[in-house]
């Protein structure tokens, strides 16, 4: 058996030594990096060959890679590295890694072309000045062979462990059984579809009702598919050894390298980890390495210190102590945040960066969307670099629309700009002058422009280049200046790719105070390469209808499948009452307060218990809650507040006790409108006093025009679909199991419209409330 390893992976494992050094070293974007490579290649002669595929073997290792360029006339092999700023400040361990890679490429080339020696050129390209700095050496093939053998020898024992682990993992997963006696209603249908899609490849949008166990229903088939080789089969809980139904399409005889379970919220991460624990066999532990990735702010042991070995003790000698920590960690199957922290403490390492290092060697990674979908996403970058075969499980995927829009949106605040411009007044002045001219030319508070002014972008890019040099050469940390620099860099990069999927706007708040914003509307063009980079992707949620909306906005391929799982719940479980006599439109809200409060009180009197009330804003919430408390002081109430901390949110939910009685007020689309599980008597009903439609404003009106031009459904894509998705999510808090009973009030006459009714779950039996009959 052979173990295939990329040159970069091999060198990162064997050649990295010394400190963790995350000082200011702004990396070029992927687009800038590719452009830099093209520029260097274009400067070479006609005999210059680019992108050479090179391979070689050492024992069980099959080493592969792609060298940037080779000139046979000069017998010179080149490796390109793009950078920004002062090259002398590049960490030494980065340089050592680059030389290690180039020398291995050198041996592979000598072996392939039977060369006695070769010239090696390490080419550093400054993307700002387009200047090349070249370090060159000539090495005989025998030295390069020794270099290659040394690195392989350091890695081969690890490769043997990895090969054995992969075999054990796949064998164990082939025997994995469903952790319950039966699938829940709808769960079996979901699992079969997920398994088939992963085995055949491609993308799947799976809409499944809340409460059926989507987390286990997707993780189980994904793990089964992970180690499967040969013809695919759909999972069933009773077949010996797991799935054994030969009814699915044939699939390539390859298994997955990684499974990425991606979430929008911390609570979903916990649910995924709990599900993975439930999937463990009785009295045994699956040989599957699971790691949880958390935000730096939640993992950092020394907040306020830079990630620099010269300052932080946990960064000092990080790569020297990493091998021992890694060797210990791979024997721990379940590496959640606490387990990673404990390993880090034993080896005196930064837990945040240790977690990232362990993700390289893990089978299942649980983390936030941004680890794969963001512009500089670590997991996506590794997937491409190491050519991993990965499966994406995207939980509560309806959230990815707004999260992805935010990932590809950038803004510049004049106050932040003004606060740091005295550091380099001459460099900031051209941008300040153009920005001030824009302020003077815009009398209204807000305006949307066709595109960002070219003069602004030109001067901003010059300022960025100056800031790179300044920040690279000043060791004293200026956090405000660095923050502005990265904001400016993000803005400039997005502006370079500006098209109709993004709008440019300026919002004024004073004579010179304003905010420039590049607001993304359709993130699909950025997400599409991330979906195509995965072998398979399953996006699941209770609200993925209509699926064309998500396919278009998220950039999913036209071949993306769609599954609408039939609900296991019966209409008689949920009494859905439509109240069309009350309007919750903005102009009618003051008049709606009393009717809503009285309606809630009548329902509470008829059926005491715990209820949730969902309003469209905090202002509306406060109005209804205050009047309700005033009129019905004997009924306990509690309210969601803006910016609630995690303990505050837990305290809010703790009020929903079994057999309790009271009313909780929450904002539609907020923390309590989804991902909240209150089965049985913990929640007996909900009131949704809004359609959840986004606010009518200049941005949304422009979005509607662009959506109409692009997709032919401007109103639906901008207002209707996002609003009703929030309603369905909130309503899903009431019925969580097949034994639950509850009531749901939909308060607004617009719920009677046919376009709206078509978007509501089919299993709901909607009846007009008696007071609504006209």
């Amino acid at each position: 058996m052979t173990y295939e390893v990329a040159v970069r992976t091999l060198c990162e494992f064997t050649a990295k030594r010394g400190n963790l050094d995350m000082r200011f070293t702004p990396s070029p974007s992927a687009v800038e990096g590719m452009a830099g490579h093209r520029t260097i290649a274009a400067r070479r002669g006609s005999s210059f060959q680019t992108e050479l595929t090179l391979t070689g073997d050492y024992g069980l290792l099959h080493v592969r890679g792609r060298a940037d360029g080779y000139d046979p006339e000069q017998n010179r092999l080149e490796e390109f590295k793009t950078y920004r700023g002062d090259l002398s400040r590049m960490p030494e361990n980065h340089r050592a890694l680059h030389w290690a890679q180039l020398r291995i490429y050198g041996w592979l080339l000598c072996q392939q072309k039977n060369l006695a020696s070769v010239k090696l050129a390490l080419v550093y390209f400054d993307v700002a000045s387009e200047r090349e700095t070249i370090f060159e050496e000539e090495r005989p093939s025998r030295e390069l062979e020794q270099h290659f053998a040394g690195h392989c020898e350091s890695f081969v024992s690890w490769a043997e462990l990895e090969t054995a682990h992969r075999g054990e993992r796949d064998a164990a997963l082939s025997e994995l059984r469903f952790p319950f006696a039966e699938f829940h209603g709808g769960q079996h249908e979901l699992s079969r579809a997920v398994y088939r899609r992963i085995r055949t490849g491609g993308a799947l949008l799976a809409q499944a009702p809340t409460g059926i166990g989507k987390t286990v229903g997707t993780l189980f088939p994904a793990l089964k598919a992970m180690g499967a080789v040969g013809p695919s089969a759909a999972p069933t809980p009773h077949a010996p050894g797991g799935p054994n139904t030969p009814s699915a399409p044939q699939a390539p005889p390859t298994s997955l390298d990684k499974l990425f379970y991606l979430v929008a919220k911390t609570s979903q991460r916990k649910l995924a980890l709990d599900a993975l624990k439930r999937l463990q066999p009785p009295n045994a532990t699956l040989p599957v390495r699971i790691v949880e990735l958390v935000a730096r702010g939640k993992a950092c042991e020394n907040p306020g210190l830079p990630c620099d070995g010269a300052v932080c003790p946990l960064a000092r000698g990080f790569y020297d102590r990493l091998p021992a920590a890694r060797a210990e960690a791979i024997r721990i199957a379940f590496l959640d945040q606490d387990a990673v922290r404990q390993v880090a403490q034993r080896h005196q390492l930064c837990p945040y960066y240790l977690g990232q290092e362990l993700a390289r060697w893990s089978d299942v990674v649980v983390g936030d969307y941004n680890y794969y979908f963001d512009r500089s996403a670590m997991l996506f970058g590794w997937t491409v670099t190491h050519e991993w075969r990965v499966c994406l499980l995207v939980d509560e995927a309806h959230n990815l629309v707004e999260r992805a829009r935010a990932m590809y949106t950038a803004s510049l605040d004049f106050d932040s700009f003004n606060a740091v411009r005295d550091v380099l007044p001459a460099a900031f002045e051209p941008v300040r002058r153009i920005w001030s001219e824009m302020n003077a030319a815009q009398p209204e508070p807000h305006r949307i422009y066709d595109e960002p002014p070219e003069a602004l972008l030109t001067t901003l890019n010059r300022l960025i280049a100056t800031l790179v040099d300044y920040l690279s050469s000043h060791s004293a940390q200026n956090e405000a200046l660095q923050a502005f620099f990265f904001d400016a860099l993000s803005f400039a990069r997005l502006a370079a790719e500006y098209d109709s999927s993004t709008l440019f706007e300026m919002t004024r708040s004073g004579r010179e105070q304003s905010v420039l914003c590049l607001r993304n509307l359709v993130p699909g063009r950025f997400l599409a390469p991330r979906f195509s980079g995965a072998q398979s992707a399953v996006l699941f949620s209770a609200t993925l209808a209509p699926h064309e909306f998500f396919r278009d906005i998220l950039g999913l391929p036209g071949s993306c499948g769609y599954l609408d799982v039939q609900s296991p719940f019966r209409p008689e479980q949920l009494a859905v009452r439509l109240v069309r006599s009350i309007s919750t439109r903005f102009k009618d809200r003051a008049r709606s307060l009393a009717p809503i409060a009285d309606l809630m009180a009548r329902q509470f009197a008829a059926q005491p218990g715990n209820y949730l009330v969902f309003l469209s804003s905090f202002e509306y919430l406060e109005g209804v809650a205050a009047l309700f408390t005033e009129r019905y002081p004997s009924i306990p109430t509690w309210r969601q507040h803006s910016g609630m901390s995690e303990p505050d949110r837990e305290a809010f939910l703790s009020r929903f006790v079994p057999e309790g009685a009271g009313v909780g007020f929450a904002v539609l689309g907020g923390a309590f409108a989804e991902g909240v599980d209150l089965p049985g008597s913990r929640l007996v009903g909900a009131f949704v006093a809004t359609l959840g439609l986004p606010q009518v404003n200049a941005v949304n009106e422009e979005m509607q025009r662009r959506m109409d031009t692009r997709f032919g459904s401007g109103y639906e894509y901008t207002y209707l679909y996002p609003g009703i998705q929030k309603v369905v999510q909130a309503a899903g808090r009431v019925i969580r199991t097949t034994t639950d009973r509850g009531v749901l009030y939909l308060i607004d006459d617009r719920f009677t419209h046919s376009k709206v009714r078509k978007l509501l779950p089919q299993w709901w039996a909607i009846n007009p409330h008696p007071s609504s009959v006209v």
Side-chain angles (χ1 to χ4, degrees):
M1 176 178 264
T2 60
Y3 183 92
E4 189 171 298
V5 61
V7 171
R8 180 169 173 175
T9 304
L10 174 64
C11 293
E12 285 177 342
F13 188 92
T14 60
K16 269 194 171 181
R17 293 291 181 268
N19 294 346
L20 181 68
D21 188 350
M22 305 302 291
R23 289 175 298 170
F24 179 80
T25 50
S27 302
S29 67
V31 172
E32 290 170 329
M34 290 186 289
H37 279 226
R38 288 193 298 268
T39 299
I40 300 169
R43 293 172 177 175
R44 303 302 187 253
S46 58
S47 63
F48 193 75
Q49 303 167 9
T50 60
E51 299 289 314
L52 274 78
T53 298
L54 299 170
T55 62
D57 297 311
Y58 184 91
L60 65 78
L61 296 182
H62 178 69
V63 182
R64 56 173 171 77
R66 190 176 291 115
D68 290 321
Y70 175 63
D71 187 338
E73 292 183 358
Q74 299 185 51
N75 188 30
R76 189 168 90 158
L77 183 68
E78 299 190 16
E79 177 73 2
F80 307 156
K81 299 295 180 185
T82 56
Y83 75 99
R84 283 180 176 274
D86 184 355
L87 183 59
S88 67
R89 285 177 60 84
M90 180 176 287
E92 187 56 40
N93 55 17
H94 288 200
R95 295 271 193 95
L97 177 64
H98 299 159
W99 274 117
Q101 288 179 238
L102 180 54
R103 288 165 184 156
I104 287 180
Y105 285 137
W107 162 244
L108 297 177
L109 180 71
C110 287
Q111 179 184 239
Q112 179 176 301
K113 296 187 177 294
N114 197 27
L115 301 175
S117 66
V118 65
K119 295 175 184 174
L120 304 175
L122 190 54
V123 182
Y124 289 102
F125 180 83
D126 186 334
V127 295
S129 66
E130 298 194 345
R131 184 178 66 250
E132 294 179 33
T133 301
I134 302 175
F135 300 92
E136 188 172 349
E137 66 180 25
E138 184 168 1
R139 295 270 181 168
S141 62
R142 65 180 181 277
E143 285 188 15
L144 295 173
E145 182 181 13
Q146 291 170 359
H147 173 81
F148 173 74
H151 282 278
C152 289
E153 194 60 39
S154 298
F155 187 78
V156 72
S157 59
W158 180 268
E160 290 169 350
L161 287 172
E162 286 297 288
T163 301
H165 166 72
R166 183 65 170 258
E168 292 171 9
R169 184 200 78 175
D170 291 351
L173 290 178
S174 71
E175 298 296 323
L176 181 65
R177 296 182 67 84
F178 195 66
F180 306 107
E182 297 287 345
F183 282 102
H184 296 166
Q187 206 176 38
H188 189 226
E189 181 185 3
L190 174 64
S191 290
R192 287 174 64 90
V194 170
Y195 184 87
R196 291 174 177 177
R197 178 56 61 171
I198 294 173
R199 295 292 289 121
T200 57
L204 172 69
L205 282 164
Q207 177 171 271
T210 57
I212 70 163
K214 292 189 289 294
T215 308
V216 170
T218 52
L219 275 169
F220 171 66
L223 290 171
K224 293 292 293 184
M226 190 173 203
V229 176
S232 60
T236 161
H238 303 301
N244 195 30
T245 305
S247 58
Q250 300 292 300
T254 56
S255 60
L256 291 172
D257 297 316
K258 309 280 183 186
L259 172 62
F260 297 153
Y261 193 99
L262 305 171
V263 303
K265 299 177 181 178
T266 302
S267 59
Q268 293 166 324
R269 220 170 50 228
K270 184 180 184 302
L271 289 173
L273 293 169
D274 289 344
L276 287 163
K277 288 178 181 176
R278 284 196 296 273
L279 286 166
Q280 301 293 322
N283 305 315
T285 301
L286 281 173
V288 176
R289 298 174 189 157
I290 299 164
V291 68
E292 177 187 15
L293 295 178
V294 300
R296 177 157 45 186
K298 293 187 176 181
C300 182
E301 298 282 1
N302 296 312
L305 290 183
C307 301
D308 176 6
V311 181
C312 179
L314 300 182
R316 190 175 305 124
F318 179 90
Y319 292 106
D320 299 328
R321 296 192 298 278
L322 175 61
R326 184 170 53 206
E328 177 187 341
I330 63 166
R331 296 194 296 270
I332 303 170
F334 204 85
L335 288 162
D336 61 5
Q337 181 180 358
D338 288 340
V340 171
R341 184 170 184 263
Q342 289 171 20
V343 175
Q345 286 178 331
R346 284 194 289 272
H347 295 270
Q348 286 298 290
L349 292 173
C350 169
Y352 175 70
Y353 285 104
L354 176 61
Q356 294 191 0
E357 289 292 334
L358 296 178
R360 297 173 184 264
W361 308 103
S362 296
D363 304 304
V364 180
V365 179
V366 179
D368 191 88
Y369 291 163
N370 67 306
Y371 280 106
Y372 191 85
F373 292 113
D374 196 83
R375 176 179 286 273
S376 56
M378 177 186 76
L379 293 179
F380 173 66
W382 286 350
T383 298
V384 173
T385 299
H386 303 303
E387 299 180 11
W388 288 337
R389 295 181 296 271
V390 307
C391 168
L392 311 178
L393 292 182
V394 185
D395 194 1
E396 299 292 0
H398 63 279
N399 286 310
L400 186 56
V401 172
E402 288 305 318
R403 283 291 304 276
R405 282 172 171 163
M407 290 174 194
Y408 296 96
T409 290
S411 61
L412 291 176
D413 188 317
F414 190 83
D415 284 345
S416 300
F417 171 90
N418 206 40
V420 297
R421 68 188 178 98
D422 286 344
V423 177
L424 292 167
F428 277 82
E429 179 55 25
V431 176
R432 188 208 64 79
R433 186 173 59 253
I434 293 171
W435 200 336
S436 295
E437 290 171 357
M438 292 173 63
N439 284 331
Q442 179 184 307
E444 65 267 41
H446 178 267
R447 181 189 293 181
I448 296 171
Y449 295 80
D450 292 335
E451 60 185 6
E454 188 62 36
L456 174 69
L457 299 181
T458 299
T459 55
L460 185 63
N461 279 308
R462 288 176 186 157
L463 173 59
I464 289 169
T466 302
L467 289 176
V468 168
D469 293 336
Y470 177 86
L471 289 167
S472 298
S473 59
H474 286 71
S475 57
Q477 198 170 18
N478 185 331
E479 292 184 2
L481 186 61
Q482 284 193 20
F484 172 78
F485 168 83
F486 285 113
D487 287 345
L489 187 61
S490 177
F491 190 95
R493 286 175 173 174
L494 280 172
E497 302 175 75
Y498 186 83
D499 67 3
S500 62
S501 67
T502 300
L503 59 82
F504 173 61
E505 58 184 301
M506 185 169 80
T507 303
R508 294 192 57 191
S509 56
R511 192 170 68 86
E512 283 208 337
Q513 284 71 34
S514 62
V515 175
L516 306 175
C517 182
L518 289 167
R519 185 185 302 275
N520 180 265
L521 308 177
V522 184
R525 63 185 289 242
F526 300 106
L527 301 186
R530 284 150 173 74
F531 285 120
S532 63
Q535 182 166 301
S536 55
V538 178
L539 297 84
F540 55 98
S541 168
T543 49
L544 291 178
H547 67 277
E548 294 88 356
F549 167 79
F550 292 95
R551 183 194 63 201
D552 291 343
I553 299 299
L554 297 177
L556 290 160
S559 60
C560 177
Y562 179 67
L563 172 71
D564 190 359
V565 177
Q566 185 175 354
S567 175
F569 307 134
R570 303 178 307 281
E572 58 267 25
Q573 286 185 253
L574 182 66
V576 183
R577 297 172 182 172
L578 195 156
V579 183
R580 62 189 184 192
S581 59
I582 301 175
S583 169
T584 64
R585 294 170 178 84
F586 185 77
K587 63 183 178 64
D588 299 324
R589 284 185 186 168
R591 292 193 299 271
S592 73
L593 302 183
I596 292 174
D598 294 341
L599 174 66
M600 291 161 47
R602 288 195 299 271
Q603 173 60 35
F604 189 90
Q607 184 185 356
N610 289 325
Y611 291 85
L612 265 170
V613 185
F614 294 101
L615 289 306
S616 57
S617 67
F618 282 105
E619 182 181 3
Y620 198 12
L621 181 155
E622 289 298 328
V624 174
L627 184 61
F628 183 81
T629 303
E630 177 186 325
R631 289 192 174 191
Y632 307 100
S634 63
I635 301 176
T637 62
W638 51 98
R639 309 177 193 180
Q640 178 183 0
H641 300 286
S642 179
M644 289 177 79
S645 65
E646 198 162 328
D648 289 340
R649 292 196 295 270
E650 291 173 357
F652 181 94
L653 292 174
S654 70
R655 301 288 297 271
F656 293 89
V657 297
E659 308 302 331
V663 178
F665 291 86
V667 171
L668 191 72
F672 305 112
E674 60 178 87
V676 171
D677 197 19
L678 299 171
S681 62
R682 292 186 65 190
L683 184 70
V684 300
F687 300 82
V688 180
T690 174
L691 258 71
L693 304 184
Q695 184 183 18
V696 176
N697 56 34
V699 170
N700 286 333
E701 289 297 280
E702 178 62 23
M703 185 190 298
Q704 179 176 342
R705 284 190 288 272
R706 296 196 188 192
M707 294 292 184
D708 204 47
T709 300
R710 189 162 183 167
F711 304 117
S713 302
Y715 173 75
E716 291 79 5
Y717 275 36
T718 304
Y719 294 104
L720 184 60
Y721 297 159
I724 299 304
Q725 286 155 17
K726 293 176 185 177
V727 171
V728 176
Q729 278 289 335
R733 302 314 97 206
V734 181
I735 302 299
R736 307 298 294 174
T737 73
T738 54
T739 59
D740 284 350
R741 295 290 188 276
V743 61
L744 170 66
Y745 283 85
L746 301 177
I747 305 172
D748 198 284
D749 63 286
R750 288 168 291 179
F751 281 113
T752 64
H753 297 178
S754 60
K755 275 189 174 182
V756 173
R757 295 286 290 268
K758 287 178 182 178
L759 298 173
L760 301 177
Q762 294 182 2
W763 70 274
W764 287 4
I766 302 176
N767 298 299
H769 188 255
S771 65
S772 302
V773 177
V774 294

